[in-house]
Every structure is written in structure tokens, then in C-alpha cells.
Amino acid sequence: MARSINESGSSWVFPDGPLEEIASRCDVITAASLVGSCKFYHDSATQSVALPASQPFGMPCVLHTHQTEVPPAHNPFSRVHKFKQQGAQKDKQHDAKDRKGTLCQLTPLDRISSDAVIPDGGTGMWAGANGDWIALLGFPWNWELVNVYTGRRIPLPPISEFKSTPDKLVFESNDQHLQLLKIAICRVPTAASNYTSFSVLAIFNAAIAVLHCASSRWTVLDNQFLAYGYSDAIIHKGIVFAVTQTGEVYAWNQLSWGPLLISTAPIPPELDEQGRYNLGSWWLARSPDGSRLFLVHTWGVTDGRDYTGLVRILPAAATSEGRHGRTIRGYGKGLLGCEVYSMDTSQLMPPRPWRRIISLGSYSLFLGVNYPIIIPVEDGAEHDRPNMARSNSVYTSHHAVGLAYPPSPEICRFSLNSEDCTVGFQTNIRWTWRQVPLWLIPSFANARQWNLPSRHRLCRGGGDGHLEALTGDNIDLIAAHLDVTYTVRLAACSRELYDMISKDEGKMHHWDEPCLLMPPPAYWFDEHWDVARASRLHDTVYDLVPLDHPRRSVALPFMHDRKWLGANGDWIAAADHHEWCLVNVYTERHIPLPSLPDSKIRHSIVSSRPAYSFNWRPEIYLLKIVICQVPTKGGRYADYKLIALFDKTIFYLEGGGDWRMLEALTPAPDYPNYCDAIELRGHVFAVDETDGSTYFWDTANENLMLPFVIPPPVVDDQQYAWFLAPSADGKRLMIILTVNKIGIANAEVPPDIPYAANGLQLRQYPPVATYVFELDPLSTARAGDFLWRQVNSLSDHSLFLGLNYPIIANLKKRESKAPDGTLVPFMRKNCVYTAYRNIRYNQYPKILRCNLQPDEGETVGVISLPKDGWDSVRQAAMWFKPALNIARSVLPLKKQ
């Protein structure tokens, strides 16, 4: 893969190649669309090793409804395309509508489910699929064929002989009610035919209609011999074949004859005697080489029909196991079964007999509302257990849309090997969704056709990194699913991309706005590991949550087996079992830190209470690493300043040196109880949680003499949480104190208020005393008079305090109060926001917003994170401000 080169000649922008890095973080459908955006990506994808490992391309998957709804801001199909192709006329048909999408799930047989955003028609219902195309049903008669990768839509005409009803699946014809079962896309539209030639069957319970061109009319195939409703239909060698619910097969040659009853059900005697064939489904398919017609009969799968007078077979699961976030159940022999028959249709008058197929060889069949799929499948084993994906098998899903009850089991694998039992699983816990599951194989095999003949996607590579193809439409496609860190990497590839992302018309990202960096919700609860990781690339993807906007993901690969200890700007201080280090969030530049002097690690640093023992000290606990000054390129990344804050002592480090201990020399056992520290104008300040006294040392003195002690600004019996921060101009020291404990009388807990904007839970608590004081420590130290001055207003700024270095955000465009007195919008100016004070802060997690000038009766806004499972998260939520400006420092010198 080609790499984007920055001005220093390094290639950090995309270390594994732009295609793999971006596509692996998009949903499956968007990733395939990205591959088809230009010739360079297409050629690279066909040779890529990493791409198939990150996405289930080429794997049979069950496409089904997602458990959650996708917010409009996360929806890559929710915008009108504004890209104008120079020298070519826009495809008016394609751009006539806004592209809208639905967040769905693709469930491979032997992998965790993946997200998929596919085009939708608002209230459209899936009614069929084949290759890149799905059939969508709207009302009234709003039927379309839609390409899931490009969003191209081909409207289908109404069937003039049928009259619509309020139910989009029910129609009337000659006083007869017709129930639509599915739409079989027998031949897909192609660019070579200008998307005007295709073959589609509308399969009803008592009628079949065929359409070969969008500009023509449907042809209804009459059948005066029909006694039972249809079950399935396909087109084979130009002839329409249909099978009924009892196994009779009819054929029509539209040019000369039909209907012709070519066979009755080829049921084995043992099944006929027990009446099991009446409980099954009949399917039609084609052989792998397309020469023969297949008839498939599955039985034993139950649904909600009335079985009065029949022997009802209730499948009882003999075995079950959890795999890849779903429960796989096995059924004993004789409960469920499948037979496959084959016929040579070259002669139909008289027809040749059905021949039973004992083995499909290396192939497997995938049947459902989709057009039948028959592909070779490799057998394998995972942890000494057979894979769900097996050869010589028949897989089934729903046989029709709009079923009142789901089949049980919903997804089945029938093996033609006599020694194997049938297995099955469900796609959703609740039967409340409107879309029918169907089989889909995500692929970019037809990507070259997506750009022909007049598509407005770019069909060229360009620039040193071949990334100028990612403009306009392509940026829209990937922006909703590209995490924050890789969006910055993308912006660093060219000035055009930086300009486009910085404008961010859809407000996908909220740059320079303080957000909560925290583990994703799946990790907060006691769930199986596979379930918690569902739809996540790996366990180093975190949530970045703006306070009033949809949450974004942020990929931090360097956090594998690490725990963050602090942050400032683009840098995070992290630790594993062996070392402390600084890592840049965007470039992943790694700076190892020296070890502490005369110390040994007593417990794992990733435990909830990392402890150290010193030869001359009692046990002490690390609270956080304060990054007072970040490393810079101009200082050769050795100009950083750090504070290692422990509860009873402090260490100070300047780049290129060693850790130095800052002594307070308080008599035992009255050691200081530090809770926060910063460096300001060459001096280190640390506040004692016991009484609010502030110690400060002159770092210019190599011997680090005993500190000055600044008395607290408030002396009373109240317990406060103390924080230190620099003023907005960086000249004065500020001390912030809030009441350490908040609550309601009688220990009442206010109810959670879900915030739809970002999924957080809010609460209202009674007012909490919050004070901000400041002083110029250097001038007052010379005068010997330490007088704190109370700050009554932060003006247009707000403070964000916690594990991170204090953030003073300019929120001039924000209000200081909600117009209606409610909790939202949650981000406001002239407020103090506090998060976790240190990595071992194990109280019930609450994140506070306190207004410095509250109205009478104004409550405190609280973000309440889940209490259950907090100990297993092991990462304290902290404030982080995403910044796009770093991309400018690594832009290529030559404009791409």
C-alpha cells in the first residue's frame, strides 16, 4: 500500500496503509463503498491481507435489524450529495432523493456480528436480495431495487391487475386477497445495460408476476390448476418455475406455453406417513454450474400456523452453547430434516424425474427471502469445535416477509451428512422488528461496475498518497464511522482533505470541545466477553462523548494492556506492567519514561490500587501523572515536564533527566495527603486534601529546597474536593473547591434522566457550594503575604478538571444557563466541571457541573455512570479535547 508522507519524511499518517486503516474502522457496507471509490483502492483491496481480516468480505452473513437506532448525525446516507463532477452531467435519477440509511447488523456464521449501514426508503421493508441489490417495499406501490453500496435506486412499476390495500403486503385481484411473500431478483441490473434490464419475480401466495425492464409492465402468470399457495419461485434457463406449499412444481415459458405441472412432491414414504411434509417449506434453487434445477424440502421448523389434524413436531434443543455472542442450539435426529432433489429441465414434456441429491460436495445452499445462494464453503474447526460454516449443508432463514411469528429455530443449518445433527440460532432477542433476516455476502467484487457508465464517483487515483479520490461523496460515506484519531490521520494526508474535514458541515466531529474519554458502554456491565466486544474492532476502542452531541469512537491501539494515568493536549501518560510512557494520541509516538528511584512495584499497575514501597517511606499510592508541559517537535520531544502525584509524596521530571522527589518533611504519621498538583512558571504546586494547604517548590533549584506553604482560602469544618489550575492567561494559580459529597436528605437517589443527544444518564442534585480563588504565587511569595482572591465569574470560560491537566475552554457561543431551567444543554460557560480526580478514585462515579453564578434553586447537573461493573472497567473517565490542528503540522509540503 502507498503511504502518505509528511514533511519530515515519516509515514505515521497511515502505518498500515490508508485503505486498511480507514476501511477497518468503517462498517462493512461503507468499507466496500470506499474500495469502489477509485481504481487505486480497488486494486489495493484485491491484494490486501489485512482488509479481509477486519471485515467479513466474501462470507455468508445474516443481514438483520440492529438492536439500536442510528442517530441522524451518524448516518452516512442522510445527506444530499453536493459533489459536482466536472465535465460530466450528474446522474439525475440517482441524486433525485436524499440518501438515507439504516444501521443494521451482519452476522457471519463464525464471527462476531458487524455493523452495516444500508440504504433505506424510510418505511421500506426488505423483500428480497441478490448480490449487491435488495428489493425495498414502500406504500403505496413504492417498490424499488436499491444497490446497498452505491445507493442507486431503480423504481419498479405497480402491477396494474392488482389493487393495493392499507397493508403494504396485501393486494386484491378479482375479489381475492393476495399476500406478498417476497420479490426474487433473478437477474440483477448492470452498468452494461445502463441499469434498465433485469428480471424480477413478485411471489404471492396465489399469484406470480414477472418483470424484465423498469419501463415495461408486469406480466401476471395465470395458473388455473393451483390448489395450494405458492412457496417459492425462480427463473431457470429462461423458464419460470414455482413450487407450492405442498411441493407441486409448475413451469411457464412466457413466449409459448404455461402453466405446466411438471411434478408433484417427491416425498419419501416415511415422511408422507407421518404428515411431516405439511410442516415444512419448499424452496427452489439452481445447481452450482446452473445446469439443473434444485428442489429443497425442509421440515420440522415450526411457526405460528394452525396445525389442527396434523402431527406437530416441536423441536426440542438437545444441546446449546454460546458462540460469538449468540446461542447455538443442536437438535436431535428425526426432529428436523432436509432433502434436496435435482432435475434436468432440458426436457419438460414429459418432464424427467427428480433425483435425490445425497451430497453437495464442497458447496452449501443459503435459502431465504434472498435469491438462492450456492457457493463453496471450507470446513474448519475452532477450538476443537466444528464451525457453523460447513460444506454439504443447507442454510435457511425466513421463507417470506411479514410473518406473524418467527420460525423456530430462525436460522438453521441442515447437513446432508447423515451423522450430523441440525443446528440453529436466533438473530434477535425480541420479535419486534419489521425487517426480515436474509442472507447477504458483503463484497466489492462488482466495484468496477459501480463507477460505470456515468457514476459521479471518482474513477481515478491521484496525489502522492492516492487519497484525492476521497472527496465529496466519499468523505460523507466514511465520516460517520471513522473514529476521531483516524479522522485526524485522514486530514493530514492532503490540504484538500484537511479543509473539507475542518469545515465538517455535518458536524460529525466537534473539534476543540471538551469531551469525556471513557470506556464504551458495553464494558460497564457484567457481560460475556464476546457480547461486550460485539460490533467493536478490538478492546482499545473507546468512546469520546461530547456533552451535547452524539458520542464518537476513538481508537487507541497503544492502550492494549495499558492504563492511562493522565492526559494533556494530544498526549496521554500510560503504564503497563513494565514501564511508564507518554504516547501521542494521533501519531502514536512513544516516549518511554525513566523508572522511579529506589522503588519497586508491589502490585500490578493495572490493578485498582497500584501501590509502591520505598525504602524510607510507608506504602504509597499513585494518583495520576500530571503532564505539565507536552513534548514538542521543536524540542526534539525531550522538553516535557511531568509530575508523578502520589498520596504522600511527589516526583518531578523534566525531559532528559531523572525523577526528583519533592520533600515536604512533615512528621510521621502526619504525612501530606496530596490530591492535585500542577507546574506553573517554573514552580510545582500541590494541594493537601486534608485542609487545602498548598505546597510549592522552585524547580530551578536542583536541590529542591523545602517548599513554601500557602494557607487555604477557606477554613471550616466542611469536607472539600480540591483542584489546582492555571488561569486563562497562565500567570496566576487558581484553587477550586467543591463539596466532596453530594446527595439528598434521607439518602434518596434522584432518578436518571436519559439524554438522547449522547446516551448519558443525567441527574439533578441540590446546589453544591463551589468556589474559585486565585493569586499570583510568585509576587505574594516575595512579599510573604499569601492572599487568595475569590473569582466570582469565569466570564466566557469553563473549567474541566479531573485526571487530565486542567482544561480552560472558551465557550463564548454557549449560554450560562438553560433557557427553560432544565439540565440541557449540558455544556455551558462560567461553570466548573469535575470528573475523576485520580486513577484510584473508587467512590460511586459522578461527574459534576457546578455554575459559579447559579440562580435561586438551580440544581447541580450530574452525569451518572453505571456503578455495576465499574471495578472491571479500570479506566477512569477523563476530559479530552480533540484537536484537528495537529494535522496541519504534518501536511505534505507539496499540495496534492
Side-chain angles (χ1 to χ4, degrees):
M1 290 294 302
R3 299 168 182 261
S4 288
I5 307 298
N6 59 33
E7 59 183 351
S8 62
S10 63
S11 57
W12 66 262
V13 177
F14 288 110
D16 296 326
L19 176 65
E20 289 88 349
E21 292 293 336
I22 298 176
S24 64
R25 283 159 178 82
C26 296
D27 72 279
V28 184
I29 303 301
T30 303
S33 299
L34 175 61
V35 171
S37 64
C38 71
K39 183 178 183 299
F40 172 76
Y41 281 167
H42 180 269
D43 295 343
S44 300
T46 57
Q47 302 173 11
S48 173
V49 176
L51 189 58
S54 62
Q55 303 286 9
F57 290 128
M59 298 182 183
C61 303
V62 182
L63 177 66
H64 57 94
T65 303
H66 202 280
Q67 296 286 358
T68 60
E69 294 292 334
V70 56
H74 286 232
N75 194 331
F77 293 99
S78 62
R79 309 178 187 179
V80 179
H81 294 302
K82 300 179 180 179
F83 181 73
K84 297 182 179 179
Q85 184 181 12
Q86 297 180 358
Q89 186 179 3
K90 292 184 68 175
D91 188 338
K92 296 182 179 180
Q93 176 179 324
H94 181 78
D95 292 324
K97 299 181 179 180
D98 294 359
R99 294 178 67 185
K100 298 183 178 181
T102 300
L103 179 63
C104 307
Q105 279 192 322
L106 275 173
T107 299
L109 295 174
D110 293 299
R111 290 176 60 168
I112 294 176
S113 298
S114 302
D115 288 349
V117 177
I118 68 168
D120 191 13
T123 59
M125 178 183 293
W126 307 336
N130 189 357
D132 304 340
W133 298 82
I134 60 173
L136 285 179
L137 301 181
F139 179 83
W141 283 118
N142 185 17
W143 292 7
E144 294 179 310
L145 298 183
V146 182
N147 189 298
V148 297
Y149 304 109
T150 68
R152 178 181 290 275
R153 297 175 180 272
I154 301 176
L156 303 180
I159 304 177
S160 57
E161 291 85 348
F162 298 164
K163 180 182 178 181
S164 62
T165 68
D167 188 338
K168 68 174 63 175
L169 297 179
V170 178
F171 300 84
E172 294 180 351
S173 177
N174 298 326
D175 297 329
Q176 182 183 15
H177 286 276
L178 301 175
Q179 176 81 27
L180 180 66
L181 304 181
K182 61 181 177 180
I183 293 180
I185 309 175
C186 305
R187 183 165 56 91
V188 299
T190 62
S193 65
N194 200 24
Y195 301 100
T196 59
S197 179
F198 49 83
S199 296
V200 173
L201 293 178
I203 307 172
F204 299 84
N205 61 337
I208 301 287
V210 60
L211 177 70
H212 294 292
C213 181
S215 60
S216 63
R217 297 179 55 185
W218 290 88
T219 300
V220 179
L221 305 180
D222 296 326
N223 189 354
Q224 64 273 25
F225 308 110
L226 182 66
Y228 298 94
Y230 293 114
S231 178
D232 198 7
I234 66 170
I235 297 179
H236 174 61
K237 294 183 178 181
I239 298 175
V240 177
F241 292 90
V243 61
T244 67
Q245 297 174 6
T246 53
E248 292 88 3
V249 178
Y250 294 89
W252 292 262
N253 185 325
Q254 299 180 67
L255 299 178
S256 56
W257 50 263
L260 174 67
L261 177 62
I262 63 172
S263 73
T264 56
I267 298 299
E270 63 271 17
L271 293 182
D272 192 19
E273 293 174 0
Q274 299 181 36
R276 294 185 181 181
Y277 70 92
N278 289 301
L279 303 180
S281 297
W282 293 89
W283 320 75
L284 291 175
R286 303 174 67 191
S287 61
D289 59 3
S291 62
R292 302 176 67 88
L293 180 68
F294 279 0
L295 176 64
V296 182
H297 178 225
T298 59
W299 50 267
V301 180
T302 63
D303 54 26
R305 291 179 293 172
D306 183 9
Y307 296 95
T308 305
L310 299 176
V311 180
R312 185 176 183 181
I313 307 298
L314 295 176
T319 60
S320 64
E321 61 173 326
R323 299 189 65 187
H324 307 295
R326 65 191 77 99
T327 300
I328 307 297
R329 291 182 170 86
Y331 300 86
K333 296 180 180 179
L335 292 176
L336 296 92
C338 174
E339 295 86 32
V340 180
Y341 302 90
S342 172
M343 175 186 287
D344 181 358
T345 59
S346 59
Q347 177 181 321
L348 292 177
M349 292 184 286
R352 295 178 178 177
W354 291 105
R355 181 170 60 88
R356 181 149 182 195
I357 300 296
I358 300 177
S359 174
L360 294 174
S362 61
Y363 288 84
S364 285
L365 261 171
F366 296 85
L367 306 173
V369 172
N370 54 281
Y371 202 68
I373 300 172
I374 182 165
I375 58 172
V377 177
E378 295 183 1
D379 292 330
E382 184 182 81
H383 305 298
D384 298 327
R385 295 179 298 177
N387 283 350
M388 269 292 289
R390 302 284 297 277
S391 62
N392 195 31
S393 300
V394 175
Y395 295 82
T396 63
S397 178
H398 295 212
H399 68 276
V401 297
L403 296 178
Y405 301 91
S408 178
E410 189 177 17
I411 308 298
C412 292
R413 184 195 70 195
F414 300 92
S415 175
L416 296 190
N417 298 325
S418 58
E419 65 274 10
D420 293 339
C421 67
T422 301
V423 297
F425 65 90
Q426 306 294 118
T427 60
N428 291 280
I429 299 176
R430 298 179 179 89
W431 180 245
T432 58
W433 41 272
R434 60 184 174 87
Q435 301 289 17
V436 58
L438 50 82
W439 295 100
L440 182 74
I441 301 179
S443 173
F444 50 85
N446 299 323
R448 289 186 180 274
Q449 295 188 20
W450 300 343
N451 297 299
L452 299 174
S454 59
R455 288 286 291 121
H456 64 262
R457 291 176 182 271
L458 290 173
C459 302
R460 55 185 173 86
D464 294 336
H466 297 276
L467 284 168
E468 75 174 55
L470 289 179
T471 56
D473 185 29
N474 306 129
I475 288 292
D476 286 346
L477 284 173
I478 69 174
H481 297 280
L482 201 60
D483 60 81
V484 175
T485 52
Y486 281 86
T487 300
V488 175
R489 290 176 180 265
L490 183 63
C493 292
S494 72
R495 284 181 172 84
E496 288 87 348
L497 290 173
Y498 176 85
D499 292 340
M500 182 169 297
I501 293 175
S502 62
K503 292 177 182 177
D504 196 13
E505 295 179 1
K507 299 300 179 185
M508 293 290 182
H509 300 281
H510 298 272
W511 305 112
D512 298 321
E513 181 176 301
C515 305
L516 278 173
L517 179 61
M518 54 190 286
Y523 298 140
W524 292 94
F525 304 99
D526 186 18
E527 294 181 346
H528 190 274
W529 179 245
D530 281 349
V531 177
R533 292 189 63 205
S535 299
R536 294 279 175 177
L537 179 65
H538 43 59
D539 58 347
T540 57
V541 177
Y542 297 89
D543 274 359
L544 195 62
V545 188
L547 295 186
D548 295 302
H549 303 286
R551 65 182 64 206
R552 307 298 300 171
S553 62
V554 53
L556 305 177
F558 56 85
M559 287 303 300
H560 181 64
D561 287 337
R562 282 193 173 114
K563 181 182 182 70
W564 59 54
L565 307 176
N568 188 357
D570 307 332
W571 294 83
I572 284 181
D576 57 18
H577 300 276
H578 307 291
E579 69 168 5
W580 292 354
C581 63
L582 294 179
V583 186
N584 190 287
V585 171
Y586 305 110
T587 68
E588 298 181 21
R589 179 182 288 273
H590 177 273
I591 303 176
L593 301 177
S595 58
L596 293 173
D598 302 320
S599 65
K600 61 180 181 179
I601 296 179
R602 188 176 198 182
H603 299 294
S604 168
I605 194 64
V606 296
S607 67
S608 60
R609 291 171 63 88
Y612 295 76
S613 290
F614 287 87
N615 295 335
W616 63 93
R617 288 276 185 172
E619 187 176 69
I620 60 177
Y621 294 97
L622 178 66
L623 303 183
K624 62 180 178 179
I625 298 292
V626 184
I627 307 176
C628 305
Q629 180 173 303
V630 300
T632 62
K633 182 180 178 181
R636 296 182 179 274
Y637 299 101
D639 52 346
Y640 54 85
K641 297 179 181 179
L642 307 178
I643 296 174
L645 180 65
F646 293 83
D647 57 345
K648 297 181 179 66
T649 191
I650 293 176
F651 285 87
Y652 179 70
L653 175 67
E654 292 184 351
D658 295 319
W659 290 99
R660 295 185 289 169
M661 177 179 283
L662 307 185
E663 294 282 359
L665 291 184
T666 54
D670 297 327
Y671 296 108
N673 186 21
Y674 298 121
C675 60
D676 201 6
I678 65 168
E679 191 267 353
L680 180 68
R681 298 166 64 184
H683 292 73
V684 172
F685 298 86
V687 61
D688 191 327
E689 189 175 27
T690 304
D691 61 358
S693 298
T694 302
Y695 301 82
F696 77 96
W697 296 261
D698 184 358
T699 60
N701 191 327
E702 294 184 359
N703 296 324
L704 289 175
M705 303 286 291
L706 294 179
F708 287 97
V709 180
I710 304 175
V714 175
V715 179
D716 56 29
D717 296 332
Q718 185 67 264
Q719 291 185 351
Y720 293 103
W722 302 85
F723 300 88
L724 294 177
S727 61
D729 58 8
K731 296 180 179 180
R732 296 178 301 280
L733 176 70
M734 294 197 298
I735 188 168
I736 302 95
L737 53 155
T738 65
V739 174
N740 198 16
K741 295 183 179 180
I742 65 173
I744 300 179
N746 303 321
E748 295 180 4
V749 178
D752 286 335
I753 304 173
Y755 192 14
N758 52 24
L760 294 176
Q761 299 291 329
L762 307 183
R763 290 182 181 178
Q764 298 186 67
Y765 279 87
V768 174
T770 302
Y771 306 100
V772 178
F773 297 88
E774 68 174 9
L775 58 75
D776 185 340
L778 302 187
S779 60
T780 53
R782 288 190 293 268
D785 187 11
F786 297 99
L787 294 178
W788 292 99
R789 182 182 68 87
Q790 186 170 358
V791 178
N792 296 315
S793 174
L794 296 174
S795 185
D796 293 333
H797 295 80
S798 283
L799 273 169
F800 295 82
L801 309 171
L803 191 62
N804 53 282
Y805 194 77
I807 298 174
I808 306 175
N810 190 332
L811 304 177
K812 184 177 182 179
K813 297 182 180 180
R814 295 275 185 164
E815 299 293 335
S816 59
K817 299 178 177 62
D820 55 358
T822 59
L823 283 175
V824 296
F826 200 81
M827 181 171 285
R828 304 174 188 175
K829 60 184 179 182
N830 198 31
C831 291
V832 174
Y833 294 81
T834 61
Y836 291 87
R837 299 158 55 191
N838 54 66
I839 60 175
R840 56 179 290 266
Y841 191 65
N842 54 8
Q843 298 185 19
Y844 179 37
K846 296 186 182 72
I847 297 171
L848 305 182
R849 180 199 63 200
C850 301
N851 196 328
L852 287 187
Q853 295 178 329
D855 293 333
E856 182 178 356
E858 181 177 343
T859 58
V860 172
V862 174
I863 297 175
S864 178
L865 301 182
K867 185 175 182 180
D868 296 336
W870 167 248
D871 293 336
S872 64
V873 174
R874 297 178 181 174
Q875 297 283 19
M878 63 179 177
W879 301 106
F880 180 82
K881 187 165 68 170
L884 193 63
N885 289 337
I886 188 176
R888 300 185 65 178
S889 65
V890 295
L891 280 174
L893 288 176
K894 184 181 295 184
K895 188 174 182 180
Q896 292 183 4

